[in-house]
Amino acid sequence: MERQQEAWSGRTVFILAAIGSAVGLGNIWRFPYVAYTNGGGAFFVPYLVALLTAGIPLLFLDYSLGHKFRGSPPLVFRRLHKRAEIIGWWQVGISFVIGVYYAVIVAWAIRYFFFSFNEAWGSDPATFFVNDFLKQDDDATFALGFVPGVAFPLLAVWVLTLAVLVFGVQKGIGATARVFVPLLIVLFGVLVVRSLFLDGAGAGLDAFFQPNWSILTDPTVWIAAYGQIFFSLSVAFGIMLTYSSYLGRKTNLTGSGLVVAFSNSSFEILAGIGVFATLGYMANISGVAVDEVVESGIGLAFVAFPAIISSMPGGALFGVLFFGALVIAGFTSMVSIIQVCVAAVEDKLGIDRIHAVLGVGGVSAVISLLLFPTVTGLNVLDVVDNFANNIGIVGVALVAIAVVAWALRRLPDLENHLNSVSSFKLGIAWRLFVGVVTPAVLAFMLITEIVERIQDGYGGLPSGLVVTFGWGAQILVIVVAVLLSFTPWRRTEVELEHSEPTKAGENL
């Protein structure tokens, strides 16, 4: 008998879990900077176009695949076609790589949550972060010098993540999402309200929303918009496909997708308001223009914001709110990333959840603890992150769409499946967006990134580091995906071909 598929207890839990996955660290520290540097208020035009023509259509594609074929990415793609299984393992491999380093950033946020109480970073947050906290060695290309201050919170992140996953889809992931997603919204809402009352907040918001309409003729702005949407919705590397496989037969898929997509974008805009109101305050007290204090990514979170926190009245509370929000946003995304790997191992080997979680989690945690709480961990993380997102995810998305839409010609079938259970009906526009517009944009992004990385390397870092942890990691993922696709399944051929939903969680 086929192993029973786990199920969400209701559509609301699924939506909360999907939002928890989509709303991650990038929403807070990447979107505001991308919008600001690509036309400010004018950026919302290509952003909305990208959301409607790529983000939501790809989300619907993931939902249709997971819901119709009921399984982890390898099983879903195998049910599409036996030779397509490799695509599923490629997605799992990318999730594995991302999970290994994503946990480290959550661990940093946990430490900074506690640092906020006494503003432990002192008067020089940049030096504190790189030298005192991470203890980075500028002279070393790669070294395994142990950094306990990072290793112990990282270990805690892995223990907590695996504890949630052991309890399963509903009692673990679902229960966590029901608590953490509303809590994240409340925490970040309070933080945004506080930031709006800071001196200079208006100047920051003017900088964020002031439109530069002339920039809309620049193709790179449109590519930036598609890139932001693509990376922020957790599409194309197995998460939404896996989550949708736990839904019942008659779940409204497109309605749920619209809620998730617009909730994610709303949070990004809210993050932009909070971040730029705060940066406006920083510019005001420093006596400089807003553009002189704007940062993105790790520098914004762990250098710029600590400096701002130290300078504002009641800064400790602001820091607790900010880093608390980072921890929650990162943790809910972390759980979803590792769940992709766990589900794949469960399906392939036919083992129970506890053994799958401990096996996948154990290997992930060991690699994570070996590579990143080290004196060269920051550079390794930077390289792995760039290649996983800009080459790994984009590459597998392009191949998956090419196989599903062009080689197997399954878009009409998937469209009918979505329409059979959903309130918002799809038509030829969806097929054009998925089969033509999205792959064209992805192909341009992938080719541009590959050419740039070959010509210029990455970030001025040593070529050995880039080759090993950038190109090497992505090639290894593909090689392992090929090997795993030839590994025998523990299920019978009848079970592998079965694609109908089980009755568990039906009629949600």
Side-chain angles (χ1 to χ4, degrees):
M1 181 180 293
E2 183 177 2
R3 181 173 63 83
Q4 285 291 301
Q5 182 84 349
E6 293 189 81
W8 304 110
S9 65
R11 179 171 168 239
T12 300
V13 177
F14 161 71
I15 289 173
L16 287 173
I19 292 173
S21 173
V23 175
L25 301 173
N27 296 67
I28 298 173
W29 71 33
R30 187 176 189 271
F31 171 78
Y33 180 81
V34 171
Y36 172 73
T37 55
N38 287 280
F43 180 75
F44 291 103
V45 174
Y47 178 83
L48 181 60
V49 171
L51 176 65
L52 298 177
T53 63
I56 292 175
L58 274 182
L59 196 61
F60 289 168
L61 178 63
D62 272 359
Y63 283 6
S64 64
L65 287 169
H67 189 256
K68 180 175 177 62
F69 295 104
R70 312 303 287 184
S72 61
L75 182 56
V76 164
F77 279 96
R78 191 191 189 285
R79 285 173 169 169
L80 270 170
H81 193 283
K82 289 183 179 180
R83 294 182 181 177
E85 182 185 333
I86 183 177
I87 298 173
W89 285 113
W90 190 0
Q91 291 185 340
V92 171
I94 292 169
S95 291
F96 181 88
V97 170
I98 292 174
V100 164
Y101 74 79
Y102 201 88
V104 185
I105 306 174
V106 179
W108 294 350
I110 290 174
R111 286 299 307 276
Y112 268 70
F113 173 82
F114 291 104
F115 288 158
S116 296
F117 286 97
N118 63 351
E119 300 172 11
W121 46 76
S123 60
D124 189 355
T127 299
F128 176 84
F129 177 64
V130 176
N131 296 339
D132 300 334
F133 176 52
L134 298 183
K135 301 186 183 304
Q136 295 301 284
D137 184 350
D138 294 335
D139 298 324
T141 298
F142 176 71
L144 294 175
F146 188 64
V147 182
V150 177
F152 291 122
L154 176 57
L155 178 62
V157 169
W158 279 110
V159 170
L160 292 172
T161 300
L162 301 188
V164 169
L165 291 174
V166 161
F167 281 100
V169 170
Q170 176 55 35
K171 293 182 180 179
I173 302 172
T176 302
R178 290 178 74 109
V179 175
F180 277 21
V181 173
L183 179 59
L184 171 62
I185 294 170
V186 171
L187 280 179
F188 209 78
V190 173
L191 186 148
V192 170
V193 170
R194 173 69 184 93
S195 69
L196 291 174
F197 287 93
L198 295 171
D199 293 335
L205 295 179
D206 286 343
F208 180 57
F209 286 109
Q210 183 69 40
N212 177 10
W213 299 112
S214 64
I215 206 169
L216 294 182
T217 58
D218 185 349
T220 61
V221 172
W222 292 81
I223 295 299
Y226 276 90
Q228 177 61 33
I229 287 293
F230 182 70
F231 296 131
S232 72
L233 273 178
S234 295
V235 291
F237 62 107
I239 295 176
M240 295 304 180
L241 184 155
T242 303
Y243 272 16
S244 62
S245 73
Y246 305 130
L247 287 167
R249 294 174 190 267
K250 300 179 181 180
T251 304
N252 184 343
L253 295 178
T254 59
S256 301
L258 292 174
V259 172
V260 172
F262 285 110
S263 296
N264 177 70
S265 292
S266 298
F267 189 90
E268 288 193 318
I269 295 171
L270 183 68
I273 293 172
V275 167
F276 268 84
T278 309
L279 292 175
Y281 166 77
M282 183 64 173
N284 180 66
I285 63 172
S286 303
V288 298
V290 175
D291 61 1
E292 294 186 41
V293 297
V294 172
E295 287 195 60
S296 179
I298 290 171
L300 173 69
F302 298 103
V303 177
F305 261 79
I308 295 168
I309 290 164
S310 294
S311 66
M312 69 167 57
L317 176 59
F318 190 89
V320 167
L321 291 172
F322 177 74
F323 288 108
L326 279 188
V327 170
I328 295 173
F331 185 73
T332 53
S333 296
M334 176 71 186
V335 167
S336 70
I337 292 166
I338 302 303
Q339 171 59 20
V340 174
C341 308
V342 170
V345 170
E346 282 185 285
D347 281 344
K348 185 78 174 187
L349 301 182
I351 60 178
D352 61 65
R353 166 163 283 270
I354 292 178
H355 285 92
V357 169
L358 294 179
V360 171
V363 173
S364 303
V366 168
I367 295 174
S368 185
L369 287 162
L370 279 175
L371 293 180
F372 298 106
T374 65
V375 294
T376 54
L378 180 59
N379 286 342
V380 173
L381 186 150
D382 193 16
V383 172
V384 175
D385 174 57
N386 180 269
F387 277 78
N389 280 281
N390 298 318
I391 293 179
I393 295 178
V394 176
V396 75
L398 180 60
V399 171
I401 292 171
V403 169
V404 174
W406 303 342
L408 301 179
R409 301 182 183 277
R410 296 300 295 267
L411 288 186
D413 180 35
L414 295 173
E415 177 190 319
N416 290 334
H417 179 75
L418 287 165
N419 287 340
S420 70
V421 297
S422 302
S423 57
F424 178 77
K425 306 299 182 182
L426 306 180
I428 190 173
W430 178 71
R431 279 176 275 152
L432 287 174
F433 291 149
V434 173
V436 179
V437 175
T438 300
V441 174
L442 291 175
F444 181 85
M445 291 170 60
L446 182 62
I447 293 170
T448 301
E449 187 69 20
I450 289 175
V451 170
E452 186 175 339
R453 294 287 77 80
I454 291 174
Q455 291 180 343
D456 304 329
Y458 177 68
L461 294 174
S463 59
L465 193 71
V466 175
V467 169
T468 302
F469 293 101
W471 298 111
Q474 293 309 307
I475 292 171
L476 181 61
V477 164
I478 296 174
V479 171
V480 172
V482 172
L483 295 176
L484 287 173
S485 68
F486 285 104
T487 303
W489 287 77
R490 294 292 181 89
R491 292 181 166 193
T492 66
E493 201 64 28
V494 173
E495 289 176 336
L496 290 173
E497 296 303 323
H498 176 64
S499 63
E500 286 300 310
T502 63
K503 292 185 178 180
E506 193 174 308
N507 300 325
L508 300 185

